[in-house]
Amino acid sequence: MTHHLTIITGASRGMGLAMAQQLLDAGHHLLCLSRRHNDELGQRATRAGLRCEQWAVDLAQPEAAATRLEVWLAAQDGASAATVTLINNAGVLPRIAPLAAIPAAELAAALRVDLEAPMLLTSAFLRGTGQWPAARKILNISSGLGRSPMASQAAYCAAKAGMDHYTRCVALEQAAGPNGARICSLAPGVIDTDMQVQMRGAQPSEFPDQGTFLKLKEKGALTSPAEAAARVLAYLARPDFGSIPVADVRD
């Protein structure tokens, strides 16, 4: 068993891009599922002599992505992998407004990306690697909003709460079988990403907590994507990863 393989969603920008860059620097082969290719990632992998396959996929249509992943895993040489990891990082916010003000199609798309896609990809990953001797890990990037309600964030809060709870269920299932995958739904802290920009730009009349996010930026309380990625990957590398199925990187 000679190499490490990591599958990561949302790797073309923000913390996902930073994680992908740091994983390449650590010698991992990557499969990236994102809305678009990132040329720098490919060049970085080439310089390091690593594989970085990038799929331009729309995770609002997650069944196709999950089916493709399962077929792809079946074609890999699982016996040569020391570790294989799935990082469900991609996420979207619908328009920040009360639930009744958001069109049904926008809500449905957000829930597919934020909850349905991670569940389907997790299922495909578990089937596709079930006979591999490699150590298997699943890292779901959650949020504190999955654990604390906030007005005008119903879709995102519900999706992350669902991510936390399906992680608990999968942890119980995997603990009962041979070479079970270790899984954790991890809140990464408050990060200076496009989502924060979206929250700061929301209408105060529709988002009562907008001022909170403005103050976080003003006080310099936001973690950079690179720093957040380093903390998350350090948590993923812990010997006890998965012993707590729902966790916070700040704990």
Side-chain angles (χ1 to χ4, degrees), residues 215-237:
K215 289 177 182 176
L216 287 172
K217 181 66 171 179
E218 292 167 359
K219 293 179 179 178
L222 302 178
T223 305
S224 72
E227 183 180 355
R231 291 180 181 178
V232 166
L233 293 178
Y235 193 97
L236 177 64

Side-chain angles (χ1 to χ4, degrees), residues 129-164:
T129 62
Q131 301 304 312
W132 291 24
R136 298 184 298 154
K137 297 181 182 180
I138 301 163
L139 172 61
N140 289 328
I141 301 300
S142 186
S143 170
L145 288 179
R147 301 156 200 181
S148 299
M150 182 172 286
S152 299
Q153 292 280 10
Y156 192 73
C157 287
K160 293 304 185 182
M163 173 180 274
D164 286 352

